[in-house]
Amino acid sequence: MTDTVSRRSALRLLGGAIAVAAAATSGLTPPAHALDRPEAGAGPRVEGLIGKLTLDEKISLLHGATDPDSLGQAGYIPGVARLGIPPLRLADGPAGVRVTQHATALPAPVLLASAFDPDLARRYGQVIGREGRALGQDVLLSPMVNLIRTPYAGRNFETFSEDPLLASDMVAAEIGGIQGEHLIATVKHFAMNNQEKDRDSIDVRVDEQTMHELELRGFEAAVGAGAGAVMGAYNKVNGTFSCENKTLLTDVLREQWGFAGWVMTDWFAAHSTVKAIAAGLDMEMPDGTYFGTALKTAVKNRSVPEHHVDRAVRRVLAVMDRFGLLDGSAPPRPERDAPAGAAVALEVAKAGATLLRNEHRTLPLAPGGTVAVIGPTGTLPFVSGGGSAHVVPDRADSPLDAIKSRAGKVTYALGEDLFGKAIPASALSPALDSEGVQVGAGKTWTYDGTLTASEADEWTFVIHYSAAPTLRPKVLLDGEDLFPLAPGYGEYFSGGLVSADPDGLSVRRKTLGLTKGAHRLQITAQGGDAGQLFRLRRITGATRAQDVAEAAKVARAARDVVVFAYEDATEGLDRTTVALPGNQTKLIEAVTAANPRTTVVLNTSSSTSMPWLRRTGAVLQMYYPGQEGAAATAVVLFGDSDPGGRLTQSFPADDAHHPVAGDPRRYPGTDGVEEYSEGIHAGYRWYDAEGVRPLFPFGFGLSYTSFSYADLRARRTRRGLEVSFTVRNTGRREGVDVPQVYVGPSPELRLDQAVRVLGGYGRVVLRAGERRRIAVEVAARTLSSWDPKRHDWVLGTGRRTVWVGASSRDLRLRTSVEVGT
């Protein structure tokens, strides 16, 4: 046996041991691959059911259907009542259970990951798992583990990191928490689904080494943690749609990793019958376009062997059996524990709060002082992003109220207008009160007149309406429809915060340049069955200037200022820039000029450029902080809690300096093809390889105290390396530190390698003056590279450099260690 084979065998054994351990902590049966029986039968109960099922019944278990008693969840599988096979309800839930009922709105997964705390991720999963079952659900369509590859991706807030190790740790821990509460977890989106633009058609071209070392690593960890289901992605991978990609669904997922659960499509991501089921797809959602009548026909004409259908059914039933859904052994559905869920939501938001700047002791704020709060999200709680991540929370307080409870005198200014101001009556002829038009049920209301602009300006028209999108008032300006229906699911993926006003009316916007003079305005509104209310408003350069001037005036009169800035992300839509949207850059510049003791709180989905950074006193990154976000933000601002978060992604300085900048082949793709030509050098690895300085590096985050590291040692172990060092709190108060271990390349591998990769990390809370010895394990997998010639992992032997630091760029200690077979 060669050394290479020995190393591969050791890695496989190590992976199996981890999987068994993960399953043991969840209290569930270990996944089949951990027991070296990936092709074993599903057990006598399942085999007996397969023998009794008719072809029609088998097929009914392999595609979605309409739920006769819907709870507002995303999907439904009807079950087979005569054989005691119960239905399955499948709910979205990356940050809480998404149904029509109230649920705990947890912070976005990217904020969870910022805590660098897998145990917290497990408890996060426990909340979702308990609530999912309490709310009548059986399958959770989460967690998402696609890597953050581009800062523009609209769902970056729903996932964890640009780093595969951190993403793997978080997804495995969260799945353990979810499934420990007997809710089936679905890891998604398999695979290479790293953007929303053209997501249903883009062909991702990626080499084998890059795929395995980066994107697939988190999915493998999810399989190792025993995930019951995998969701196939919309996009193609190397020319073949993910949901009919045999390389992914069979060769990698089942044969290499031993996955024994079932694979479902993302919603409407199926493209075939014969090819998909042969490749390893088991279930089509949310309907049966390809796996319904078409599948039955294919079985009858023998283009699909019936044993392929049996195989898919076996996978679904085996997971149901594992969770006690076939024999009634699943525990009774619990009641929701809303206070416990809220407590975890608060803990996660505090733990992930990431302080990016703090000059001249701007923070913590002094209790009882005068504070000016500025920005629309100061009064409007930013709970979550849009699309499938949106949760109906029990409650959500405003940051303004939370700050008022702590400060002496608090003033407020809007600063940035999200919902518009009334169109002046003098601008409309004939006269129209556009602030509240009520259209009766069954009625049609029309207006045909003139809108006169007193000067050329950029106008944003904002319509607020109470009806369904199909009855949204039709507004024509000089013949152009300002608010047409978005195609496909575009209306559904319309945004989180800014798509509804505080009154609950739906909101849409249209920005265009308006020339001075008269413009024809035509409006038609239908009352429908229930009638509707609508408003037509506007935001102009003039109104923006007024809002900014008022904010600067309020800031000037206060001791401290807190500006709440936002970026509203949603599934189905990518960002177009890393800059803050709207007029917020000008707002922050004006406010910081008026008062340098300004803290900017960022409620953004992902990395943000900050041309205004040097003028600020402090910057606090809170992402989408969930229902307890206001309380968490306040306790961090006032110093009751040390900001314990660290960046899970690099923040670029601007749109021209990041891994996919300036190369449309990398993003968003050209001619339907996207190339991962950066290879393994994604995220901080690209910044290191190219010598580009990020605005903030991966792993960065400040504390209200300071820490030092000393006495670094590294030694080989049977599992990889053990890296130990001493951390000391050198400041005057208790604080949180997240020391990180990085490992350099192997001198003996003739494969592309990064300048350094994250090898491990720790999270430690220390009192003032306290010191503690920390030991971090660097796994053999992290020390290995994927060899495309061997189609397997090879250990990177030789003398490897080891660093310990506070971020990927703040490396304070260095040593080296020999890695051998």
Side-chain angles (χ1 to χ4, degrees):
M1 183 177 289
T2 66
D3 289 343
T4 300
V5 172
S6 298
R7 289 194 294 268
R8 291 203 302 263
S9 300
L11 288 167
R12 285 199 183 105
L13 289 172
L14 177 59
I18 293 171
V20 172
T25 59
S26 71
L28 298 173
T29 304
H33 79 282
L35 304 179
D36 279 334
R37 50 182 182 85
E39 298 301 327
R45 182 181 296 107
V46 170
E47 297 301 333
L49 286 171
I50 291 174
K52 296 174 184 177
L53 286 164
T54 67
L55 178 60
D56 286 335
E57 288 170 337
K58 292 174 185 175
I59 289 173
S60 73
L61 295 172
L62 302 183
H63 67 82
T66 300
D67 187 350
D69 301 302
S70 178
L71 302 175
Q73 79 279 1
Y76 176 76
I77 301 294
V80 180
R82 75 176 184 88
L83 295 177
I85 301 175
L88 291 175
R89 289 184 170 87
L90 303 85
D92 285 315
V97 183
R98 188 179 188 275
V99 292
T100 52
Q101 292 177 272
H102 290 272
T104 300
L106 292 160
V110 70
L111 183 55
L112 166 68
S114 300
F116 280 69
D117 187 349
D119 182 66
L120 188 59
R122 179 184 57 80
R123 288 185 283 129
Y124 183 99
Q126 286 175 330
V127 171
I128 299 176
R130 179 188 176 98
E131 293 204 343
R133 294 206 70 240
L135 294 169
Q137 303 304 305
D138 307 291
V139 182
L140 182 77
L141 304 173
S142 186
M144 175 179 172
V145 76
N146 300 102
L147 291 188
I148 297 175
R149 175 179 176 262
T150 166
Y152 304 125
R155 300 180 83 172
N156 281 348
F157 67 96
E158 287 189 56
T159 193
F160 301 114
S161 177
E162 69 186 22
D163 181 77
L165 172 65
L166 180 59
S168 297
D169 290 350
M170 300 304 292
V171 76
E174 185 181 342
I175 286 171
I178 293 165
Q179 296 194 157
E181 299 295 322
H182 299 272
L183 186 70
I184 300 167
T186 307
V187 64
K188 64 184 186 182
H189 310 84
F190 192 60
M192 317 309 295
N193 183 188
N194 305 112
Q195 66 186 60
E196 293 300 281
K197 183 171 175 56
D198 301 325
R199 68 176 183 175
D200 58 349
S201 61
I202 195 73
D203 182 7
V204 177
R205 303 292 174 87
V206 56
D207 67 84
E208 191 175 317
Q209 182 186 0
T210 298
M211 185 160 55
H212 280 270
E213 289 190 23
L214 296 182
E215 176 84 352
L216 294 188
R217 194 166 169 187
F219 288 97
E220 185 179 7
V223 170
V230 168
M231 180 185 289
Y234 287 110
N235 52 278
K236 298 176 184 176
V237 176
N238 294 328
T240 303
F241 280 109
S242 295
C243 289
E244 54 188 39
N245 192 311
K246 181 179 178 295
T247 299
L248 289 175
L249 302 187
T250 295
D251 300 349
V252 172
L253 184 61
R254 299 195 183 278
E255 294 182 2
Q256 287 184 18
W257 300 345
F259 177 64
W262 86 82
V263 178
M264 71 181 79
T265 67
D266 204 336
W267 268 225
F268 302 104
H271 292 273
S272 66
T273 301
V274 177
K275 186 175 181 180
I277 199 167
L281 183 69
D282 303 309
M283 180 183 291
E284 177 188 8
M285 294 301 294
D287 59 20
T289 302
Y290 295 97
F291 273 30
T293 302
L295 179 56
K296 181 177 180 179
T297 300
V299 172
K300 293 296 187 183
N301 67 24
R302 299 185 179 180
S303 58
V304 169
E306 189 166 354
H307 70 81
H308 282 182
V309 174
D310 290 347
R311 179 181 66 186
V313 171
R314 180 177 293 109
R315 291 166 176 169
V316 175
L317 294 182
V319 176
M320 295 178 69
D321 195 33
R322 173 182 155 199
F323 281 78
L325 299 177
L326 297 182
D327 65 354
S329 63
R333 293 191 183 274
E335 296 293 324
R336 275 196 69 215
D337 189 344
V344 172
L346 178 61
E347 183 181 0
V348 172
K350 292 190 297 183
T354 306
L355 186 62
L356 300 179
R357 179 176 171 85
N358 192 21
E359 297 295 315
H360 311 299
R361 297 183 180 179
T362 299
L363 293 179
L365 299 176
T370 61
V371 180
V373 176
I374 294 170
T377 47
T379 57
L380 190 64
F382 208 141
V383 175
S384 65
S388 59
H390 182 70
V391 177
V392 182
D394 290 305
R395 42 172 283 281
D397 296 332
S398 76
L400 177 62
D401 289 340
I403 291 172
K404 281 181 176 179
S405 69
R406 301 296 307 277
K409 178 183 178 183
V410 178
T411 54
Y412 174 74
L414 179 63
E416 168 83 352
D417 190 357
L418 292 180
F419 302 113
K421 295 176 174 58
I423 298 174
S426 60
L428 295 170
S429 178
L432 169 65
D433 180 5
S434 63
E435 270 299 276
V437 179
Q438 184 72 54
V439 184
K443 304 293 185 179
T444 299
W445 182 94
T446 62
Y447 175 83
D448 192 343
T450 300
L451 169 65
T452 301
S454 59
E455 59 183 357
D457 199 354
E458 180 182 87
W459 280 53
T460 297
F461 289 90
V462 187
I463 192 163
H464 306 226
Y465 61 98
S466 62
T470 52
L471 289 178
R472 181 164 61 233
K474 190 177 187 67
V475 181
L476 301 179
L477 186 71
D478 294 331
E480 178 186 355
D481 189 349
L482 297 184
F483 311 107
L485 279 176
Y489 270 63
E491 289 292 334
Y492 175 76
F493 302 129
S494 60
L497 175 78
V498 302
S499 62
D501 71 12
D503 297 336
L505 300 184
S506 298
V507 174
R508 297 294 183 271
R509 297 165 182 81
K510 174 67 174 183
T511 300
L512 69 166
L514 211 60
T515 59
K516 179 180 180 180
H519 301 267
R520 187 178 182 187
L521 178 65
Q522 299 166 278
I523 307 173
T524 303
Q526 306 289 338
D529 293 336
Q532 77 160 308
L533 170 70
F534 78 89
R535 296 188 283 261
L536 184 63
R537 292 178 172 177
R538 99 298 189 203
I539 304 167
T540 67
T543 66
R544 290 188 181 99
Q546 291 172 356
D547 290 335
V548 168
E550 177 62 24
K553 178 181 177 181
V554 169
R556 199 173 291 114
R559 178 181 187 274
D560 294 288
V561 181
V562 181
V563 175
F564 285 86
Y566 78 94
E567 175 258 319
D568 190 31
T570 180
E571 177 182 357
L573 187 68
D574 280 348
R575 303 161 72 186
T576 58
T577 177
V578 293
L580 291 171
N583 203 42
Q584 293 181 98
T585 292
K586 291 182 179 178
L587 170 65
I588 295 171
E589 289 172 344
V591 169
T592 53
N595 188 335
R597 290 187 59 82
T598 294
T599 297
V600 177
V601 177
L602 292 168
N603 292 131
T604 57
S605 69
S606 188
S607 55
T608 304
S609 62
M610 305 178 197
W612 35 262
L613 178 66
R614 293 185 182 278
R615 302 184 184 95
T616 63
V619 177
L620 178 64
Q621 175 64 254
M622 292 299 296
Y623 298 104
Y624 300 155
Q627 69 179 47
E628 304 300 320
T633 301
V635 298
V636 172
L637 289 175
F638 285 94
D640 298 342
S641 176
D642 196 44
R646 303 295 184 266
L647 292 181
T648 72
Q649 58 195 296
S650 308
F651 274 36
D654 51 44
D655 286 302
H657 297 88
H658 56 74
V660 301
D663 189 345
R665 295 172 301 172
R666 288 188 182 178
Y667 177 85
T670 57
D671 299 322
V673 175
E674 180 183 44
E675 300 176 8
Y676 282 30
S677 57
E678 72 274 21
I680 64 164
H681 305 286
Y684 64 89
R685 304 176 183 203
W686 178 87
Y687 288 92
D688 289 344
E690 298 296 324
V692 175
R693 183 177 180 177
L695 179 64
F696 294 109
F698 173 87
F700 179 82
L702 301 174
S703 165
Y704 289 146
T705 185
S706 56
F707 299 90
S708 67
Y709 306 146
D711 193 17
L712 171 63
R713 299 175 188 176
R715 67 179 185 90
R716 291 170 52 189
T717 69
R718 290 193 305 169
R719 298 172 65 89
L721 299 177
E722 182 185 85
V723 179
S724 60
F725 49 94
T726 299
V727 183
R728 184 166 72 94
N729 184 339
T730 56
R732 297 181 177 180
R733 57 167 287 166
E734 181 178 277
V736 178
D737 191 35
V738 182
Q740 300 148 45
V741 174
Y742 293 86
V743 182
S746 162
E748 298 180 3
L749 280 185
R750 298 298 177 260
L751 295 168
D752 196 15
Q753 298 178 75
V755 173
R756 65 185 60 88
V757 299
L758 181 69
Y761 51 88
R763 182 181 175 88
V764 58
V765 180
L766 297 177
R767 298 184 303 274
E770 183 182 3
R771 68 180 66 205
R772 188 175 305 169
R773 191 74 183 163
I774 303 295
V776 173
E777 185 176 286
V778 180
R781 173 59 60 83
T782 300
L783 299 170
S784 302
S785 294
W786 182 268
D787 188 338
K789 293 182 179 179
R790 292 181 171 91
H791 306 294
D792 209 339
W793 294 94
V794 291
L795 187 65
T797 54
R799 184 151 290 274
R800 309 283 293 267
T801 303
V802 176
W803 294 268
V804 170
S807 77
S808 66
R809 289 294 179 97
D810 183 4
L811 304 171
R812 303 180 186 179
L813 302 177
R814 174 176 175 170
T815 190
S816 63
V817 63
E818 188 73 24
V819 175
T821 57

